[in-house]
Amino acid sequence: MSLPARVTTLVIAFLAVVAGGIFFALQYVGAQPPVEDYTSAASNGQVNVTLMTTPETTISDRPDWVSYFIKNPSSGQFVHTTYFKVPANTQVNITILGYDGCTPLRNPIWGHVTGTFTQTGQKNAEDVQIFDGKALSAVTPMSTMDSWADCSVQHTFAIPGLGLNVPVASPPTEKENNALCALGPCVGATADEGNAPHSVVTFSFRTPKNGGTFRWQCFVPCGGGYVDGNGGPMATLGYMMGQMEVQA
Amino acid sequence: MAAEASSPAAPAAGTSGGRRDGLWLLIIWIGLSIIACLLVALVWGPHMPPGAQSESAASQQKDITVLAVIATPVIIGVLLYFGWAIAFWRQKPGDETDAAPVHGNTKLQTTWITLTSAIVLSLAVYGTYELIAPAGAGAGEGPQPIWKPAGTVAQTSFNCQSPTAAPTWKPGTSNILQVQVIGQQWAWTYRYPQFGCFETTELVLPVGVPVQFNVTSLDVIHSFWPYQLGVKADANPGVNNVAYTTPQHVGQFTVRCDELCGIWHGAMFDYGKVLSDSDFMSWAQSTQTSLASVTKILPPYALTYDPTVLAKVGKVNEDLGLTSAGGGYYNPADPEQP
Amino acid sequence: MAIETQPESAQAPGGREPGGTPKERTWWLRPAFHTALIGAFIGYAFGHWLGNYMTPSFVATGGGAPDTNDEAIVLGYAFLVLGWLIGLGVFNDLVRQMLGKPLNGNGQHANGGLAKYFRYSLDHKTVGVQYLIGMLVYFFTGGLLAMAIRTELLSPSQHVISASTYIQVVGAHGTMMMMMMTSVIVGPLGNYLVPLMIGSKRVAFPRIEALSFWLTPCAYVILLSSFPLGGFPTGWTGYAPLSVQAGAGMNAYAFAFGLMGISMVLAGFNLVCTIICYRAPGMRWSRLPMFVWAMLTDCFLFVLAAPVLVGGMYMIITDRTAQTAFFVDQLGGSSYLYQDLFWFFGHPEVYLLALPGFGIVSEIIPVFTRKPLFGYKVAAAGMFGVAILSFFVWQHHLFDSGMDPDMRPLFMLTTELISIPTGFIYLVAMGTFWKAKLRLTAPMLFAMGMYVNFLFGGISGVFLSDVPADTTAHGSFFVMAHFHYTIMGGLIFAFFGGLYYWLPKIMGITLNQRLAKWHFWTMFIAFNSTFMPLFAVGMMGQPRRVFEYARNLQTLNDWVSISAFCLGASLLIFVFNFVMSTVVWRERAPENPWQSRGLEWQVSSPPPADNFTHIPVVLSGPYEYGVPNALPVADLNPPAGVIGGALAGAAVTASAGSEA
């Protein structure tokens, strides 16, 4: 080939490689699920965050996986993400709507609540209500749940960096566990949508003064079909684990 | 090391006349090495990682210092030699001849081989001594450890029926404190069998007494690494890996996971504390009491755990088919596994 | 021994039909890269369908997502490789032979310029260049991934890359390097130069050699396909049971690594047979170039260690697909089994990476010191010692794992012992440098850089072999610094040295020497600046493969990251030089620009199609610089029919050979 032809081929090849690299970097390496920003929803030193757990994720490309959803503070929709942002030095009141059924924990210590306080000021406890398909039970503070002896824990919400561990209560009877929500997110009014048996768990904790990024995860082996139950959704960001960003 | 190399066969065409390269190299090498070794041993040595917060860390610090002192002359020697070569043995511009041929020097080769072998073998002997003497140097020894802290006995049976029973360990006896380290994806928990078998997420140790870590995992391979204590023991599922140390100073230490265990491996760390003996006893007893309700729901203390097979589950769980915390690795439609 | 003494074409094994040249079909109808691609696509589609067909009840683990059925993916890969090889025409001659038809030698006689590099060529020189381009591509891909890792490690708490992507990138970087770089010297330089250096017209098994190359693009693409599948979370070591637990991307790792293992066995096997059987008359073992000794010992490691890797990878795949439980403790397996299988390969693997580096620098320094290689026998013995001992040290990766504790002093001893033969390389170098006439050309600079870097790598290895020191250093950045110093500082520096040294021979063009020296200095300084602080970082408690680390280590990590970016930039100098010199400037190289006595330099640059017109008779060793009245290295035109006489003559002139 002549010199100009060679130089042209070279330049084209170079641009192709650079374009490929940039594409790869943006597409794979830099990608991240959406972050639900609760910083502007805070008032009086408190902010209310709502999460949901579902047995299926019908809106995603992995419909059989369990997943968390986070409610967007402005639109009120449940978004399929596990990233949220809260302000620093604030009391965070979390409500988790637990639509999944129970699974035994690998290590029962994660059935013990740590790092929280309830609205009534009880430390290391969570407030639990169960909706059995018809009515919502009374608020019951709980601090330890035995996932082996009872059908009591569906997932956990744990922030190890803050010493926080909250087992999300599960509808406790066999009948309820066979009538779970068949969607993700579980919204709607029918018996297998938003009105399926679920738990309502509330607890509060305080974010530290300095900012930072804190990972959170579930400790229930809900990765069905994977060795030890810790694969699949348990090991994928956006399903059973995520990040809480504390903005100083 | 860099002794004179006598050129045997060919006539000495091009030997640099006056300068005694070998002698100068030897003098400079010895001089620099002495200075550097003294710096390494005396100035750097006391600050050498991993510090001296525990007996195994202190012995490792000594061991690393010795290795560094031995390595220093080797590094200086080689770098000095190459630097000398670049400075003095370059081909002058315009000179197209070859250098004086030297194919080998049996005496030099034999000296080198003997010397390097001697250094290496003595390092192996020293390393073995440093491994055995401080009760295994903090390294995980597997389920049947052979180098244990002198004068200690390990309790083998524990009463965990009653979580509020009296503790079976106190400082000053020959009974060694046992701490079980459980690794799971992605946090560490610690169990104290001599204090009613309670389990916590914080590691607290007493100062000045030997501690036995029984490290195991519930799922994949992790590695228990309390850096300042100079202990490292892999946590394998179904295996009890024993490591020993004796904390020597009160203070905080970092516990990290040192074996890639999945996505949050990098975030699997926490902080532990070494307290005085009396502070430790009061912490242990108060934690034992406050966590009594949690201890009731834990499985009985064992050296390994297999949550894939749950001995006894409640009726509702049984009816729902939830007899395992194993994740259902085998497809539920598959026939029963052995 | 198969010595051909007539100048027949070595490229058409089996010979042509008497009295006729075969008719050549047009280029797009002959098997080449494009047909291979088509075959690969068809193969993957078929294998994927077959996997799904065989496992209809799969649904549970994949979450119902398409394309996560491990069986489908693995079978897809297997048929991808098969389709790729069929499309490439690998089996054409085999089938012809089985059907009793004459072979057409894959159309080797048409020298189609660049086209021959896209075919299944049986010429070892073409395969060498194919390997070279391939290895450069794989190396730079791995390097880009490393840049991503260092970007993330700039801050311990601000995360540029998400945790799951970070672990995928770490695993892909490590695997790309460790998988591909095993053949980085044996592939391009070994395959190209060994026949030329031993006076042979061909390698023993040209088809096997070419096959070993053509498996590498498959392995590369399969490894990169792990990204769309979610990557693999285990790093390059693939420890079970995490690898059994992992998602679909893990299959890519296991399959690609197993495939490269097969490629390694093939490449090693071919070179060992070539070196043993195809040496020219007079090329006795005491005259063999040190590079060939390195290839010989290295290829023994290829052949003996790589099958264990293939076995281990195969077991991961069956654990993941056929629900065996080799490595799952709760189901009766053992996590230690994998560690032992992997490291039984893994340790020889790293010596596999180091030995060619030793070979290249030992080959280069006599030329640029103008002296014979000091202690030839010692150097060869050192290589053998390293190769043999490398099989007896693997448990040093498992000192803290809970292995049988009284084995540890034994493995500490063997690991310390292996530093003795490694030290021979330095004895040889220092003896060769004694009162020499150094020419500081680019290859020589890289060789010296290799010695300096490997010194730090080797000494840190002694630290790691000591069990108490290893208790702190294992799994930390100290280990990282150690192996980057030995592998990148040793092997890759030697690779670049060898490349600058031999590229004039391979391509007949010369690389710009000023850019080469710029490349060396920037790379050497940036490399040391990147990896030296990592020894400290590791000793101060930062484990490997983490994206969050202690705050007080941030300054060091930032220094390292900036230096790593500079290191990447220095490699761009090389890319620029290489590409411009080969494509645009194309400055013709003299026949023997370095005035080397090597046998490969006695033929034209690039060498003729058959390497030598006549099989040469080797008269003396290649390192006889400065020896008065030294015979030339070989007689390239021995009188016809005088092979027997030449052998007798070589015995008479033995006294002038290099006996160290």
Side-chain angles (χ1 to χ4, degrees), chain B residues 60 63 81 89-91 95 97-99 103 120 185 225 227 232 234 236-237 256 258 306 308 329 331, chain C residues 57 245 319 329-330 335 370 375 400-401 430 433 436-440 466 471-472 474-475 539 548 626:
Chain B
Q60 282 172 31
D63 184 82
Y81 191 91
W89 293 328
R90 276 232 274 235
Q91 182 155 55
D95 177 10
T97 60
D98 290 344
H103 287 100
V120 156
Q185 286 172 305
W225 187 22
Y227 170 70
K232 187 171 290 169
D234 278 10
N236 286 267
R256 297 208 65 134
D258 197 50
D306 183 8
T308 316
Y329 171 60
N331 189 309
Chain C
S57 65
Q245 185 189 89
D319 259 16
D329 199 273
Q330 286 92 336
S335 55
R370 313 309 297 173
D400 301 317
S401 66
M430 289 161 79
F433 276 49
K437 296 197 177 180
L438 293 183
R439 296 179 177 177
L440 292 181
D466 186 80
T471 306
T472 290
H474 167 73
M539 272 299 185
E548 284 184 16

Side-chain angles (χ1 to χ4, degrees), chain C residues 497-541:
Chain C
L499 205 58
Y500 283 116
Y501 180 62
W502 275 302
L503 210 70
K505 169 61 54 190
I506 295 176
M507 291 194 181
I509 53 108
T510 184
L511 292 174
N512 184 301
Q513 293 305 301
R514 171 177 292 182
L515 278 178
K517 289 187 186 169
W518 271 95
H519 169 210
F520 170 74
W521 284 110
T522 49
M523 187 172 171
F524 184 70
I525 293 172
F527 174 81
N528 277 287
S529 170
T530 304
F531 291 103
M532 189 62 78
L534 289 183
F535 285 120
V537 168
M539 272 299 185
M540 293 207 279

